Amino acid sequence: MAADAAPDAGPLLDQLAVRGWSLGTAESLTGGLLAATIVAVPGASRVFSGAVVAYDPAVKTSVLGVDRALIDRVGTVHEDVACQMAVGARRVLGVDVALATTGVAGPGPSEGQPAGTVWVACATAKGVTARLVTLSGERSAVRVGAVLAALALGQQGILSADGGTGYGGA
């Protein structure tokens, strides 16, 4: 994943608009950068409903419904946490597709995970998929890389949800 590329949410938003679907996000390490990238696209409001920035684990549990026992057991940088964040965002925001990000932006490790460890997830009516992304570079590069990964997974998730090809699942 090239974290130095500029994220462009336009293709994802176009795919959603064609289908008449809505989008929301649940973000941790990206701290709203995914939502900001989405709303930077003119006309984003045709599909984007909103975002939950759940930086603190308490927000993940109280707002998004992530299982507290899961966080206590595995921490916040985990596939299941990313999946529950995406499912929770889909429910809370009332959207067709929700993207989630959780991980370690750095500069150092957190929860026993090295900086650059990122989980992204995409929830649709057909289910939820997550991907582990390992990024390098400074904090800002890791955050941008996480946004790129989430947008790419969103495009794949849309294809999967409507029966398209080119999606292998996780």
Side-chain angles (χ1 to χ4, degrees), residues 24-112:
T25 65
E27 304 181 59
S28 187
L29 84 147
T30 48
L33 184 60
L34 178 56
T37 300
I38 291 166
V39 301
V41 177
S45 61
R46 63 191 165 152
V47 298
F48 188 63
S49 294
V52 175
V53 177
Y55 209 69
D56 186 302
V59 177
K60 290 174 181 67
T61 59
S62 67
V63 176
L64 296 173
V66 176
D67 181 15
R68 179 84 219 162
L70 172 67
I71 292 176
D72 290 343
R73 190 173 67 252
V74 301
T76 60
V77 185
H78 192 273
E79 176 179 16
D80 293 339
V81 173
C83 289
Q84 288 187 17
M85 288 174 65
V87 169
R90 192 166 178 270
R91 176 185 46 78
V92 167
L93 298 170
V95 294
D96 299 299
V97 178
L99 302 175
T101 64
T102 189
V104 184
S110 179
E111 298 181 8

Side-chain angles (χ1 to χ4, degrees), residues 97-135:
V97 178
L99 302 175
T101 64
T102 189
V104 184
S110 179
E111 298 181 8
Q113 301 289 332
T117 304
V118 175
W119 281 97
V120 294
C122 177
T124 68
K126 294 265 179 124
V128 61
T129 299
R131 288 259 160 51
L132 174 63
V133 183
T134 303
L135 302 164

Side-chain angles (χ1 to χ4, degrees), residues 1 12 15 99 120 122 124 129-131 149-170:
M1 182 76 45
L12 173 63
Q15 287 182 16
L99 302 175
V120 294
C122 177
T124 68
T129 299
R131 288 259 160 51
L151 293 172
L153 185 61
Q155 288 183 283
Q156 293 169 347
I158 291 167
L159 291 174
S160 175
D162 72 2
T165 59
Y167 179 74

